[in-house]
């Protein structure tokens, strides 16, 4: 793609004359300048030349875009070069100047003609395409105020101008090349439908909107007309078919009616015959069972008395066993209490023993240190005494030697010596003074050197001693660390063992808690079920009636509420409401069973009931179109569970009713979609087919809880299982001996570890202290050694100077004393003086040595004495702790012995009680065996009685069922006036009572009734004097009473009835048939024409719809794929390299342009929030990401942004700058207007806009930042 080379302006807005904005080879150019300089006018110039209307350029007319000067009549030049005037001058953001005329000294404005303002203007964009050819697009404002378009200096129309721009992918309608100031905020706050419209503009699908809506309306009208014609044609066909069928039905009706009546009479005779025969057989068997029952009752009574006597004896023995067991448990509990008391005592004893051992070993170790230190002190005292003794001996010897050695001179020689000495002193006076001074200084320095040397030696000795102690302490520390490691390993092992045991105990306790909670929940549900199943007398009566009918009539399956169950509990209210009056309806196999049941209810005066015969019920097919219509709706039939055998009954009861999640969904389907069905919500609200709504809690709401009847049995089984599981769990007693032992070991190890850790901390402190002392000694040695060396060197230098002065004085002495020495036979006068002075020097040197040696020994003795006293204090402290633990150990052992004696006594008592218990248990077992034998005999007889009673009850039920069936048939014949063949002596059917019930024989009520008599009174079966003549009945029917025969007779009657029900003759069908056939021809022609018209409308609409969807979906898919990457690039940084997340969510995937598109953006480390909840900067970043993604669909060669960073902080500005810098290049040119340094500092080129106050015009400076040596190009209007 190409790029914009430059922009030329002539008299456009604030730009007077000809100006050039040069973009050059830069793909990232920033237009900068102060407010009011005319930056935004350059944006307007680009928009203007690319065909944007003046209404979008902050102007109402094109003339407003032409330059208008605002020159002041009088003005002065200030010191800073600016111009000022008496009137107030103001400049707006786009560089236009205005004069404040409210001031009294301001110069009034001149009109445009008075100022000679220009009346035309133009802007030209120079564009370089892919072939490197320049294209000049120029748009001018003529003197008449209209636009003129030129391409390469040729005048063209606006349409041709737009086509040329669109050929370079510059879309004026979509404005895909620029973002005005304020567009970012508008995009960030736009609605989903506005975003849809933006994508329609970008994709071009908006052009098809009008045609789409028009063709859609045409299609709907054509389809509606076609449906009207189709329904009319179907209605006529239906009428023709109906009339033809009615003609045939009328002829067969009478024939079938006679055949049906005869089949009914045959069926009733067959049933009455077999009812009578069954009643007689059952009465004979009942009499035989009654005799057997009397004998069995007498035997049961006998065994029952014997069983009670044995039970009493067993109970008495059991009470004695219980008392003993209770006593044993009390003793065991006391033992457990004492044993629990022993556990902490044992732990304390063991801990005390370990502490004593530890104290003993520690005292021994420290005693060794004390002995070593005592030996050192004694050795130092001994050495000090030896030195002092040696010093005294030397002094005594020195005094003796001074007396024996030394030579005496005569008095004359001494006088001569004195005279000569005075001469020497006179001649060497100055040197002698210096020599004396040097001698005194030498003595002082020697003392200093000796003192420093003693300190150095003492410090070195202390340092060596400290290093040895540090080494010894480090070895002990390593040993203790090893012990700590071993103890920690053992401690971890013990912890794992005790944790395992504790976890097992806790798991058992947790399992018991879970089972208790589940059991409580089940018990609560059972309680709720019991409350929910409280039934009225009517409900109980209905249940009894249904149970009786099930027993009498095999074809009765049960009530609808018993045969189905909601799949989920939440459907209970809705299904109860849907079933309505069919909730208690009884499902039967066929219509015959239903009629028999109705007759039975009439005969027994047991109320009314609704019956659903499976063979003849008319079930409408389910509307399959309703399934899946809405995700919050399902068919009522799909919400219940039932057996396939009763599917027809459930389909009839539910019909096409639907169950909705809420009322909103139901209203949407019934009112908005127009679905004509019965809609029921989960809370029981109903919307009927006609639109009537019913809500609240009706009388049938209680039916919902009756669904739980089938769950109660499962809850009871679950309760029994939970109780069994609870009983199987081990009883939660106190911790066992093993766990207590582990706990004691764990405590001991903790004590040992704490001791070692404390010892380690003490050693660490000692080592740290010793190291600190050694460091101090090193530091002191380091400070003393240089002083010692310095003083020693100074002393050597002083000695050398002293030797020089001595030599000078000795030379004078040799001259003066030469004769004197020769006469006395001395080599020199110094030999004489040395003989007398050497002894003194020797004595001084010896005294100094003794002093240094004594000082060193005294320092060592003081240090060792302090160490010895510290060690003795530590030993005393450990001995006190040992005595305290020893006393505690004695007290614990005494207490333990007391408890042990109590345990021995209790153990002996329990042993005696257990011996008695074994004897009683043996006696109790013998009694239990005897009770079991008697109970077995009693139960054996009771089972025989129960078997006989069941047999008699079955026979009575059979008699009752057959008598009720016989009476019901007779009553039916009476009510329906069915004529049955009767004998001559028989009473007529009119004498049959209508409310007769079976009763027990009054004469048999008190027969053999004892305290445990189980006799059953025989039933009275009246015949009402009616004697049926069974001669007409076929012999084959008399022999067979099987269900197959019943079905054959019922099928025959049902077939005939079905045929008669279908035969509804209509005598006027033939007359109406001809008129309907003639009407059909005209309807066929109208329908064909409507069908062709609808097909054409549908094809036209589908074509436009597909084209619009294709364009929109293509743009949406591209933008949706790009938005995440763009937003991630805009928001990522070094701290969040992955950046944020953004995506588009389409609301209608079939026709997305009809609904909104939601834009979601999640900044880094932020949770999901709607766009309106984001901050201003986050909204701006999200809007820019959307703009860049939209621009990437059909990108223009350049992209102009006007102060899009106004609402952003520096970090976000830097992110935008990085994004633009990374994407700027061939095919993507960015032109940015900005005041933020963080954005334009990374530009490849800068265009500075400033205001020339003298010319009252905006001007431009161009800076190519990408060049090695940036150059500023000033483009003057003359250029």
């Amino acid at each position: 793609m190409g790029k914009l080379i430059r922009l030329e302006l002539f008299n456009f807005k604030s730009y007077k004359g000809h100006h050039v904005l040069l973009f050059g080879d830069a793909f990232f150019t920033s237009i900068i300048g102060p407010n009011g300089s005319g930056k935004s006018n350059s944006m307007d110039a680009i928009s203007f030349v690319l065909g944007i209307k003046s209404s979008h350029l902050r102007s109402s007319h094109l003339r407003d875009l032409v330059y208008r000067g605002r020159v002041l009549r009088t003005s002065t030049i200030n010191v800073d070069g600016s111009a000022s005037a008496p009137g107030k001058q103001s400049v707006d953001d786009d560089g236009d100047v205005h004069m404040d005329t409210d001031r009294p000294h301001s110069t009034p404005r001149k009109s445009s003609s008075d100022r000679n303002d220009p009346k035309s203007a133009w802007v030209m964009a120079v564009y370089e395409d892919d072939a490197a050819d320049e294209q000049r697009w120029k748009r001018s404002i003529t003197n008449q105020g209209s636009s003129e378009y030129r391409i390469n200096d040729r005048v063209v129309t606006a349409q041709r101008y737009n086509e040329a721009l669109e050929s370079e992918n510059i879309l004026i309608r979509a404005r895909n090349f620029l973002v005005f100031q304020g567009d970012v905020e508008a995009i960030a706050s736009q609605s989903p439908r506005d975003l849809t419209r933006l994508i329609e503009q970008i994709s071009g699908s908006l052009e098809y909107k009008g045609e789409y809506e028009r063709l859609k309306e045409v299609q709907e009208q054509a389809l509606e007309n076609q449906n009207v014609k189709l329904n009319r044609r179907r209605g006529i066909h239906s009428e023709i078919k109906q009339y033809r069928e009615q003609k045939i039905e009328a002829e067969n009706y009478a024939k079938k009616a006679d055949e049906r009546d005869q089949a009914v009479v045959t069926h009733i005779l067959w049933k009455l015959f077999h009812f009578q025969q069954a009643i007689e057989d059952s009465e004979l068997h009942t009499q035989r069972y009654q005799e057997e029952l009397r004998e069995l009752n007498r035997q049961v009574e006998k065994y029952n008395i014997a069983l009670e006597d044995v039970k009493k004896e067993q109970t008495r023995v059991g009470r004695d066993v219980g008392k003993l067991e209770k006593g044993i448990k009390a003793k065991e509990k006391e033992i457990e209490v004492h044993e629990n008391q022993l556990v902490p005592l044992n732990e304390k004893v063991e801990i005390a023993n370990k502490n004593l051992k530890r104290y003993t070993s520690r005292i021994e170790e420290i005693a060794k240190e004390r002995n070593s230190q005592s030996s050192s002190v004694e050795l130092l005292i001994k050495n000090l005494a030896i030195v002092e003794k040696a010093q005294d001996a030397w002094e005594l010897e020195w005094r003796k030697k001074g007396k024996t050695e030394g030579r005496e001179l005569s008095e004359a020689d001494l006088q001569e010596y004195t005279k000569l000495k005075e001469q020497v002193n006179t001649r060497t006076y100055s040197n002698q003074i210096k020599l004396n001074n040097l001698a005194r200084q030498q003595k002082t320095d020697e003392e200093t050197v000796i003192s420093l040397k003693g300190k150095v030696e003492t410090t070195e000795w202390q340092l060596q001693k400290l290093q040895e102690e540090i080494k010894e302490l480090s070895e002990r520390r390593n040993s203790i660390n090893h012990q700590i490691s071993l103890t920690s390993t053992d401690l971890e092992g013990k912890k794992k063992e005790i944790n395992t045991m504790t976890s097992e105990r806790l798991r058992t306790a947790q399992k018991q808690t879970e089972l208790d909670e589940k059991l409580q929940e089940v018990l609560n549900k059972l309680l709720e079920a019991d409350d929910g199943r409280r039934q009225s007398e009517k409900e109980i009566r209905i249940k009894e009636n249904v149970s009786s009918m099930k027993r009498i009539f095999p074809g009765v399956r049960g009530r609808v509420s018993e045969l189905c169950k909601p799949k989920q509990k939440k459907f209970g209210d809705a299904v109860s409401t849907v079933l309505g009056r069919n909730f208690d309806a009884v499902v039967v196999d066929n219509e015959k069973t239903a009629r028999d049941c109705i007759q039975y209810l009439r005969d027994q005066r047991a109320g009314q009931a609704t019956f659903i015969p499976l063979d003849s019920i008319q079930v409408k097919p389910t509307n399959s179109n309703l399934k899946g219509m809405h995700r919050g709706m399902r068919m009522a039939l799909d919400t219940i569970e039932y057996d396939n055998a009763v599917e027809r009954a459930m389909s009839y009861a539910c019909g096409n009713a639907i169950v909705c999640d809420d009322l909103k969904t139901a209203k949407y389907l019934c009112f908005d979609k127009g679905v004509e069905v019965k809609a029921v919500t989960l809370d029981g609200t109903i919307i009927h087919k006609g639109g009537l709504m019913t809500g609240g809690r009706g009388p049938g709401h209680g039916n919902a809880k009756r669904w739980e009847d089938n769950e109660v049995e499962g809850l009871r089984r679950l309760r029994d299982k939970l109780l069994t599981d609870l009983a199987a769990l081990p009883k939660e007693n106190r911790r066992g001996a093993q766990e207590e032992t582990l706990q004691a070991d764990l405590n001991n190890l903790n004590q040992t570890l704490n001791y070692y850790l404390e010892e380690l901390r003490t050693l660490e402190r000692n080592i740290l202290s010793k190291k600190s002392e050694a460091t101090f000694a090193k530091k002191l040695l380091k400070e003393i050694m240089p002083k010692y060396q310095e003083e020693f060197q100074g002393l050597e230098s002083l000695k050398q100077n002293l030797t020089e002065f001595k030599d000078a004085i000795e030379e004078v002495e040799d001259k003066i004393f030469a004769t004197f020495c020769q006469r006395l036979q001395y080599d020199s006068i110094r030999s004489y003086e040395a003989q007398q002075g050497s002894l003194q020097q020797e004595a001084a040197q010896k005294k100094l040595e003794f002093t240094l040696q004594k000082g060193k020994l005294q320092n060592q003795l003081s240090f060792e004495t302090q160490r010895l006293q510290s060690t003795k204090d530590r030993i005393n402290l450990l001995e006190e702790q040992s005595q305290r633990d020893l006393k505690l150990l004695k007290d614990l052992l005494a207490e333990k012995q007391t408890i042990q004696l109590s345990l021995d006594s209790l153990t002996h008592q329990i042993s005696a009680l257990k011996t008695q218990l074994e004897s009683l248990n043996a006696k109790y077992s013998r009694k239990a065996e005897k009770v079991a034998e008697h109970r077995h005999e009693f139960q054996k007889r009771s089972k025989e009685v129960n078997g006989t009673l069941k047999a008699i009850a079955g026979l009575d039920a059979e008699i009752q069922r057959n008598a009720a069936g016989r009476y019901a048939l007779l009553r039916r014949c009476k009510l329906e006036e069915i004529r049955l063949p009767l004998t001559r002596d028989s009473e007529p059917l009119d004498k049959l009572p209508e409310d007769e019930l079976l009763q027990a024989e009054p004469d048999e009520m008190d027969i053999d009734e004892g305290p445990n008599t189980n006799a059953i009174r025989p039933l009275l079966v009246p015949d009402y004097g009616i004697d049926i003549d069974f001669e007409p009945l076929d012999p084959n029917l008399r022999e067979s009473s099987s269900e197959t025969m019943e079905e054959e007779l019922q099928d025959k009657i049902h077939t005939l009835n079905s045929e008669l029900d279908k035969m509804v003759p209509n005598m006027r069908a033939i007359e109406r048939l001809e008129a309907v056939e003639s009407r059909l021809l005209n309807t066929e022609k109208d329908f064909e024409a409507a069908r062709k018209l609808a097909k054409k409308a549908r094809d036209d609409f589908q074509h436009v719809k597909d084209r619009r969807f294709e364009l929109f979906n293509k743009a949406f898919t591209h933008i949706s794929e790009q938005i995440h990457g763009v937003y991630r690039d805009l928001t990522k940084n070094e701290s969040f390299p992955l950046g944020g997340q953004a995506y588009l969510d389409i609301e209608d995937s079939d026709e997305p342009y009809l609904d909104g598109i939601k834009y979601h953006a999640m900044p880094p480390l932020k949770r999901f929030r709607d766009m309106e909840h984001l901050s201003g900067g986050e909204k701006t970043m999200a809007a820019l990401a959307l703009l860049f993604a939209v621009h990437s669909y059909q990108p223009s060669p350049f992209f102009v942004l006007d102060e899009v960073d106004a609402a952003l902080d520096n970090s976000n500005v830097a992110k935008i700058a990085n994004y633009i810098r990374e994407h700027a290049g061939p095919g993507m040119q960015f032109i940015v207007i900005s005041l933020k340094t963080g954005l334009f500092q990374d530009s490849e080129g800068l265009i500075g806009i400033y205001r020339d106050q003298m010319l009252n015009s905006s001007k431009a400076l161009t800076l190519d930042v990408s060049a090695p040596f940036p150059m500023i190009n000033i483009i003057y209007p003359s250029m």
Side-chain angles (χ1 to χ4, degrees), residues 68-207:
R68 293 182 182 181
R70 300 290 186 271
V71 182
L72 300 176
R73 181 181 299 275
T74 60
S75 61
T76 59
I77 303 300
N78 298 327
V79 177
D80 58 357
S82 61
S84 62
K88 183 180 179 181
Q89 183 178 352
S90 62
V91 184
D92 61 11
D93 291 340
D94 59 1
D96 295 335
V97 182
H98 303 283
M99 184 73 185
D100 187 356
T101 59
D102 294 336
R103 294 180 175 257
H105 299 290
S106 61
T107 304
R109 296 185 182 183
K110 291 185 178 182
S111 65
S112 178
S113 58
D114 295 338
R115 293 193 304 267
N116 295 323
D117 286 344
K119 301 194 180 332
S120 63
W122 55 266
V123 178
M124 182 173 68
V126 180
Y127 175 82
E128 181 179 284
D129 57 17
D130 295 337
D133 296 333
E134 281 191 358
Q135 297 186 25
R136 293 186 298 280
W137 299 326
K138 184 176 182 182
R139 183 182 178 185
S140 305
I141 303 174
T142 63
N143 294 334
Q144 292 76 25
S146 60
S147 292
E148 180 184 80
Y149 300 90
R150 292 175 180 269
I151 299 177
N152 297 330
D153 297 329
R154 286 191 306 105
V155 177
V156 296
T157 62
Q159 181 179 359
R160 177 70 186 88
Y161 192 85
N162 290 340
E163 291 174 356
L165 294 176
E166 290 176 357
S167 65
E168 296 297 330
N169 219 14
I170 302 173
L171 307 179
I172 298 175
R173 293 182 181 178
R175 291 197 298 179
N176 65 334
F177 54 88
L178 56 85
V179 178
F180 282 113
Q181 186 176 0
D183 284 356
V184 176
E185 290 79 6
I187 290 175
S189 59
Q190 66 182 352
S191 64
R193 288 191 176 274
D194 292 336
L195 181 55
T196 303
R197 183 173 181 82
L198 174 63
I199 295 179
E200 276 208 275
Q201 291 176 345
I202 294 297
S203 63
S205 64
L206 190 62
E207 299 177 0

Side-chain angles (χ1 to χ4, degrees), residues 634-689:
R634 75 281 302 155
M635 298 294 293
L637 191 62
D638 296 336
T639 62
I640 58 175
E641 297 176 352
Y642 53 86
D643 190 77
N644 291 333
V646 295
E647 182 178 2
R648 285 174 55 81
M650 299 304 155
S651 299
Y652 171 78
C654 296
N656 283 327
I658 60 176
V659 175
C660 303
D661 289 343
D662 48 35
L663 186 59
K664 181 180 178 181
T665 304
K667 286 182 177 180
Y668 170 75
L669 293 172
C670 294
F671 299 151
D672 297 347
K673 287 290 188 179
V675 180
E676 294 183 359
V677 293
K678 178 181 179 181
V680 182
T681 64
L682 295 179
D683 60 358
T685 303
I686 313 172
I687 300 180
H688 299 276
K689 290 184 180 180

Side-chain angles (χ1 to χ4, degrees), residues 74 81 124 205 223 258 323 448 614 690 695 702 804 822 867 1009 1088 1157:
T74 60
M124 182 173 68
S205 64
L223 289 175
D258 295 339
K323 291 179 181 179
T448 302
L614 295 174
E804 292 177 357
Q822 186 176 8
R867 286 183 60 199
E1009 291 188 358
E1088 187 63 24
I1157 296 176

Side-chain angles (χ1 to χ4, degrees), residues 588-835:
V588 296
D589 287 344
N590 48 55
E591 185 177 353
K592 173 184 176 300
T593 304
R595 292 179 184 275
D596 292 344
C597 291
I598 293 172
Q599 187 62 40
Y600 171 77
L601 293 176
R602 287 176 182 172
D603 295 343
Q604 301 295 327
R605 294 183 177 273
Q608 296 180 348
T610 302
F611 293 90
I612 302 178
L614 295 174
D615 62 337
S616 60
I617 193 71
Q618 298 294 326
V619 180
K620 295 182 180 179
T622 304
N623 188 357
S624 59
N625 295 330
L626 295 176
K627 294 184 177 181
M629 182 174 289
H630 193 277
R631 62 184 179 183
M633 176 274 290
R634 75 281 302 155
M635 298 294 293
L637 191 62
D638 296 336
T639 62
I640 58 175
E641 297 176 352
Y642 53 86
D643 190 77
N644 291 333
V646 295
E647 182 178 2
R648 285 174 55 81
M650 299 304 155
S651 299
Y652 171 78
C654 296
N656 283 327
I658 60 176
V659 175
C660 303
D661 289 343
D662 48 35
L663 186 59
K664 181 180 178 181
T665 304
K667 286 182 177 180
Y668 170 75
L669 293 172
C670 294
F671 299 151
D672 297 347
K673 287 290 188 179
V675 180
E676 294 183 359
V677 293
K678 178 181 179 181
V680 182
T681 64
L682 295 179
D683 60 358
T685 303
I686 313 172
I687 300 180
H688 299 276
K689 290 184 180 180
L692 179 66
M693 291 181 61
T694 305
R697 297 296 188 186
H701 175 67
N703 293 334
K705 288 191 176 180
R706 287 159 57 189
W707 295 114
E708 299 177 0
D709 292 348
N710 298 328
E711 301 176 3
V712 173
E713 188 61 30
L715 290 174
R716 289 199 181 101
R717 288 195 296 270
L718 180 57
R719 177 195 60 190
D720 296 339
K721 181 178 180 299
L722 291 175
L723 289 173
T724 304
D725 293 343
L726 277 173
L729 286 177
K731 301 300 180 182
E732 184 178 0
N733 297 323
R734 203 178 181 277
R735 295 177 299 177
Q738 186 178 3
E739 187 174 354
E740 293 173 354
T741 303
L742 286 174
Q743 186 64 43
D745 294 342
L746 184 64
N747 293 335
N748 295 335
L749 288 173
N750 279 324
Q751 291 283 347
T752 304
L753 182 62
N754 291 333
Y755 165 74
Y756 284 137
L757 291 174
E758 182 64 28
E759 186 70 17
L760 181 62
R761 285 192 289 271
T762 303
L763 286 174
E764 292 289 351
R765 287 194 297 269
N766 291 339
I767 292 174
L768 185 62
S769 176
K770 298 298 182 184
K771 286 184 177 179
S772 177
E773 293 178 11
T775 303
F776 177 75
K778 289 179 181 179
K779 182 178 178 182
L780 183 61
L781 186 63
K782 187 176 180 181
E783 292 175 356
I784 295 174
M785 185 62 73
K787 293 181 181 179
Y788 169 71
Q789 293 175 354
E790 181 181 357
E791 292 294 336
F792 182 77
Q793 292 174 359
L795 181 61
E796 294 296 326
S797 175
L798 184 61
K799 287 180 178 180
Q800 186 177 0
N801 293 333
L802 190 61
T803 303
E804 292 177 357
F805 283 108
K806 280 183 178 181
D807 293 341
I809 293 172
E810 287 175 357
E811 185 179 355
V812 175
E813 287 178 344
D814 290 341
K815 290 180 182 180
I816 294 175
F817 284 97
T819 306
F820 179 78
C821 290
Q822 186 176 8
R823 180 172 56 82
L824 296 176
Q825 296 180 355
Y826 284 105
D827 294 337
S828 64
I829 191 63
R830 290 181 297 281
S831 299
Y832 168 75
E833 292 176 349
Q835 184 178 0

